[in-house]
Amino acid sequence: MPRRLSPLLCASAKQQVINYGTKSEQQAQTEYAFEMACSNIRFGEGVTREVGMDCKSLGHKVCVMTDRNLAKLPPVQTVLESLEVHKVPYKLYDRSRVEPTNESFQDAIDFAKSEDFDVFLAVGGGSVMDTCKAANLYSSNPSAGFLDYVNAPIGKGLPVTHTVKPLIAVTTTAGTGSETTGVAVFDYLPMKAKTGIASRVLRPTLGIVDPDHLRTLPERVAAYSGIDVLCHAIESMTCVPYKERLPRPENPNLRPAYQGCNPISDIWAKHALTIASKYIKRAVFDPEDSEARSQMHLASCYAGIGFGNAGCHLCHGMSYPISGLVRNFKSSDYSQDHPLIPHGLSVVISAPAVFSFTASACPRETPGGSTALRC
Ligand SMILES: NC(=O)c1ccc[n+]([C@@H]2O[C@H](COP(=O)([O-])OP(=O)(O)OC[C@H]3O[C@@H](n4cnc5c(N)ncnc54)[C@H](O)[C@@H]3O)[C@@H](O)[C@H]2O)c1
């Protein structure tokens, strides 16, 4: 296997040293293909009201997952109203942890196993969407052990071969792009390390991007999740090109979700970057600026499609030990009863140094050209 800068989710950076024999031996083994995958996305103000009809056509009983804060807010109320209008039976789980852990994932998995759900519906930011993906994955294969699908080396990294239930993700932050990705991230408490589960089957069946939901987004959450968008975009543009990845998979099913940068992921990432750089400040500091918040919601989705197929690298890789080692830190605007370092904050801490490094290594591919990106 190629040596990775992070044992977690990230594609390795261009500077890695791999010993795969002579140049021609390497060429025979390197990847020659990439594949684009994405959830169906529905975008529009107020479009969440359609979700009852989607659920009705997908199955009978719906597992709605959210967190305790969002359970009191309009995004969840709109979803539940739509289910009731369309007479769709559901059960609500509101214990998703902000910054999930293996324990909080397990709690959600146990809830999902307690009933025979036909459809999963996540209403929230990355924490809720990732919790819902894990609940769907493990409840669809009750005999799986928790570490079976967790990324190696923490877990066994087994490929998912069973079918999961349809999952609709209504995203309420801008954001992680989790509504487009086959990834679920969590803290593995026994090792104080953040890791994840990555498989195309985790990708939501439908991502609902409804900018109405950003009206209640607090300033710090808008800032940290907005920074996450920027870093997703830049990291996916500057990670290892797919053709340099070793070894070429023996079976297309084994081609990883994070394949390295490629011409299509570059388009999404660059477009996300253009939008985010224009609107991020307005979206953070003026919650009434619906144009800016709506554009950031789109940018987060675009960046998700980019990094969901290319991967991230150093900022995200290094964010995991940073957030995994949290002791007392709490951030205002994050509803929580436990210390946490918001994901976007843990990512951006290393960003200035990382992009100075990638800029000098690959000036053409780093925004800002041959000079370091100003973060
Ligand atoms: N799966 C992926 O592809 C992926 C990608 C990046 C990050 N992540 C993970 O996502 C998590 C971070 O997610 P996030 O940044 O979206 O935030 P979050 O889901 O952790 O939510 C942060 C806070 O904002 C609140 N909130 C969310 N939406 C709101 C709204 N519309 N109005 C009011 N309050 C709202 C939540 O209740 C919570 O208190 C991290 O665990 C990170 O590792 C996953």
Side-chain angles (χ1 to χ4, degrees):
M1 288 294 290
R3 199 154 68 88
R4 299 269 178 198
L5 285 167
S6 156
L8 306 168
L9 302 178
C10 302
S12 39
K14 289 189 170 79
Q15 289 73 19
Q16 68 179 341
V17 180
I18 304 168
N19 184 7
Y20 273 97
T22 64
K23 200 170 177 192
S24 58
E25 281 167 347
Q26 282 189 18
Q27 276 164 351
Q29 294 176 60
T30 46
E31 181 59 286
Y32 68 103
F34 70 91
E35 207 170 302
M36 283 301 289
C38 177
S39 310
N40 291 317
I41 296 294
R42 187 180 297 154
F43 173 86
E45 281 181 30
V47 78
T48 305
R49 287 192 293 271
E50 297 180 359
V51 79
M53 289 182 266
D54 294 311
C55 289
K56 196 161 195 162
S57 68
L58 284 171
H60 182 64
K61 194 167 191 180
V62 180
C63 177
V64 182
M65 295 200 149
T66 190
D67 65 41
R68 286 208 172 97
N69 175 43
L70 279 158
K72 298 175 275 185
L73 295 176
V76 172
Q77 284 157 13
T78 310
V79 163
L80 299 186
E81 272 165 31
S82 178
L83 294 175
E84 279 155 22
V85 165
H86 295 284
K87 301 190 174 18
V88 180
Y90 68 86
K91 282 227 164 164
L92 180 66
Y93 174 87
D94 68 0
R95 295 195 299 272
S96 303
R97 189 181 194 268
V98 181
E99 300 291 333
T101 64
N102 55 302
E103 288 175 1
S104 72
F105 267 12
Q106 192 59 55
D107 188 65
I109 293 164
D110 293 343
F111 179 85
K113 282 181 178 171
S114 69
E115 305 253 348
D116 193 12
F117 292 112
D118 301 304
V119 182
F120 285 81
L121 177 48
V123 192
S127 297
V128 171
M129 291 188 277
D130 290 5
T131 300
C132 195
K133 288 175 186 176
N136 185 9
L137 174 69
Y138 288 97
S139 63
S140 306
N141 181 14
S143 61
F146 184 75
L147 288 177
D148 283 0
Y149 301 123
V150 172
N151 292 339
I154 289 177
K156 295 183 188 163
L158 297 181
V160 180
T161 51
H162 66 278
T163 310
V164 300
K165 303 280 170 63
L167 189 158
I168 299 178
V170 181
T171 170
T172 64
T173 59
T176 63
S178 179
E179 71 279 7
T180 70
T181 72
V183 178
V185 187
F186 65 98
D187 278 306
Y188 186 58
L189 296 174
M191 294 179 75
K192 287 191 180 348
K194 207 165 182 180
T195 183
I197 305 164
S199 166
R200 289 194 176 88
V201 306
L202 290 186
R203 221 177 278 276
T205 320
L206 172 66
I208 293 188
V209 184
D210 180 346
D212 267 358
H213 299 325
L214 301 191
R215 292 180 201 280
T216 52
L217 198 65
E219 184 200 284
R220 284 301 86 196
V221 183
Y224 295 139
S225 55
I227 282 168
D228 199 20
V229 175
L230 281 174
C231 289
H232 283 156
I234 306 171
E235 286 176 63
S236 60
M237 284 162 62
T238 54
C239 65
V240 171
Y242 74 97
K243 279 193 174 174
E244 289 178 22
R245 210 185 63 249
L246 274 166
R248 180 184 298 182
E250 286 164 16
N251 178 321
N253 288 337
L254 299 176
R255 186 163 284 125
Y258 290 162
Q259 303 159 87
C261 68
N262 61 71
I264 302 183
S265 63
D266 275 356
I267 291 172
W268 293 96
K270 283 178 187 164
H271 199 48
L273 196 56
T274 308
I275 301 176
S277 56
K278 183 169 174 191
Y279 291 104
I280 188 167
K281 278 192 194 162
R282 282 170 50 188
V284 169
F285 295 116
D286 184 359
E288 303 298 317
D289 189 337
S290 54
E291 184 198 8
R293 287 206 163 190
S294 168
Q295 288 296 318
M296 281 304 293
H297 223 175
L298 267 184
S300 117
C301 179
Y302 294 165
I305 299 170
F307 93 84
N309 287 282
C312 296
H313 57 80
L314 287 161
C315 302
H316 272 77
M318 293 195 286
S319 80
Y320 299 137
I322 292 170
S323 50
L325 288 172
V326 66
R327 290 195 173 83
N328 304 313
F329 185 80
K330 291 191 175 183
S331 174
S332 59
D333 289 347
Y334 278 69
S335 61
Q336 70 211 336
D337 47 17
H338 53 273
L340 67 80
I341 301 175
H343 173 68
L345 177 59
S346 66
V347 167
V348 80
I349 287 169
S350 62
V354 167
F355 298 134
S356 299
F357 174 67
T358 56
S360 58
C362 315
R364 276 177 310 158
E365 292 165 41
T366 297
S370 58
T371 55
L373 181 84
R374 285 186 199 88
C375 292

